[in-house]
Amino acid sequence: PSQFLIGRFAMAQQPRKEKKKPVFVTLKDMEPGERFNAYVKVLNVEILPEIKKYDGTVLKQANAVVGDKDGVVNMYVKDGQIDIVKEGKSIILRNAHAKVVKAHIRVEVDIWGKVETAKDDVGSPNIANNFSKTEYEPVKNQIFCSQALSFTEPKIKKKK
């Protein structure tokens, strides 16, 4: 027990690492399965029916179309995020997740991410380029370890 306390005390005495500054990208740089930070403008919000959970709580949900100068993408919004994501507003997506749902890309912000209102206006999005219309298909990697047959996770690629 005393070694544990000494170790904890030694860890507390070490200088803290500086936090990395977030890197913001445009929507053309997002990849399926990756997380990213971006400034986007909300073009459209469609409120979906509420879902009542088994514990009695209600899940509010909506689909939104957000975009920047490079294009637009579909976004799934839930609970408190609905109050921030309003048509015509510029928002900041922090640690957003680009998921592939039914072979099309969709942006979600889960408990590890954050949606905030932006101070500056993003500008008019490029509506002609919709990233969610691109169809994706899973690809199995044939890379395996010589010691055991453990395959890597399947990747996603654009469908031709």
Side-chain angles (χ1 to χ4, degrees):
S2 61
Q3 290 176 345
F4 175 74
L5 292 175
I6 292 170
R8 295 280 297 211
F9 180 73
M11 285 180 14
Q13 297 299 321
Q14 294 176 354
R16 291 185 178 252
K17 293 181 183 177
E18 286 189 33
K19 289 185 179 179
K20 292 181 183 177
K21 297 236 181 209
V23 177
F24 287 89
V25 299
T26 57
L27 292 180
K28 72 175 180 185
D29 298 327
M30 75 175 170
E31 293 288 329
E34 299 275 325
R35 292 188 173 271
F36 64 94
N37 302 314
Y39 293 100
V40 294
K41 187 167 197 162
V42 182
L43 299 173
N44 184 17
V45 178
E46 176 191 345
I47 304 293
L48 299 174
E50 294 178 347
I51 297 174
K52 191 170 184 179
K53 294 183 178 180
Y54 66 92
D55 61 354
T57 59
V58 176
L59 173 69
K60 295 183 209 171
Q61 56 184 359
N63 281 330
V65 177
V66 298
D68 62 8
K69 64 183 173 85
D70 294 326
V72 296
V73 68
N74 293 342
M75 179 177 172
Y76 177 72
V77 186
K78 57 187 171 191
D79 289 334
Q81 298 170 356
I82 293 176
D83 300 332
I84 299 169
V85 179
K86 299 286 183 191
E87 287 184 32
K89 284 198 171 185
S90 295
I91 60 172
I92 303 170
L93 302 178
R94 294 186 185 270
N95 205 18
H97 194 184
K99 292 185 173 184
V100 176
V101 178
K102 296 183 181 174
H104 297 280
I105 201 160
R106 180 173 78 179
V107 173
E108 259 183 60
V109 179
D110 54 16
I111 60 172
W112 281 261
K114 190 174 185 181
V115 178
E116 300 172 314
T117 54
K119 295 175 186 164
D120 301 327
D121 187 40
V122 172
S124 59
N126 181 4
I127 301 170
N129 189 11
N130 189 341
F131 296 110
S132 292
K133 292 204 176 189
T134 305
E135 197 168 328
Y136 291 86
E137 64 182 7
V139 176
K140 290 186 179 179
N141 289 343
Q142 297 301 317
I143 303 169
F144 59 91
C145 178
S146 60
Q147 307 251 326
L149 293 175
S150 59
F151 291 93
T152 59
E153 284 190 38
K155 299 285 183 190
I156 305 287
K157 76 169 188 174
K158 290 183 181 179
K159 197 171 186 179
K160 294 183 180 184

